[in-house]
Amino acid sequence: MKDLLKRFIGKTLRIYTISGVESYLGVLEEVQEDYLVLKGFFKQDKTYLTMQSIESFKEEIKRG
């Protein structure tokens, strides 16, 4: 997963966690061995997510 995520640095992603309830929308800034840094889409805050908590992700494409 880490190597795949590194290809998306600088892109807007929606990341789904294993909780099944939470998802995070933001620009992927950094991918480390056991966590990643996501810059919030709306507030520009930073979220740090552990690799173990990520279930899936998708790239959000801007339209228009």
Side-chain angles (χ1 to χ4, degrees):
M1 179 72 85
K2 177 185 69 168
D3 292 333
L4 178 59
L5 281 164
K6 282 185 177 182
R7 298 183 204 169
F8 290 90
I9 290 175
K11 298 189 182 216
T12 302
L13 302 180
R14 178 164 306 274
I15 298 178
Y16 299 92
T17 63
I18 58 175
S19 73
V21 177
E22 295 176 315
S23 71
Y24 298 88
L25 177 64
V27 176
L28 183 59
E29 287 195 332
E30 187 178 335
V31 178
Q32 296 296 326
E33 186 66 31
D34 55 353
Y35 71 93
L36 61 80
V37 180
L38 196 66
K39 184 176 182 182
F41 189 77
F42 298 105
K43 293 183 182 180
Q44 305 299 305
D45 55 349
K46 291 188 179 183
T47 300
Y48 297 79
L49 295 169
T50 63
M51 289 295 185
Q52 298 91 332
S53 69
I54 298 170
E55 180 179 87
S56 62
F57 68 92
K58 68 177 184 175
E59 183 178 2
E60 295 285 341
I61 307 296
K62 293 181 183 177
R63 307 247 186 239

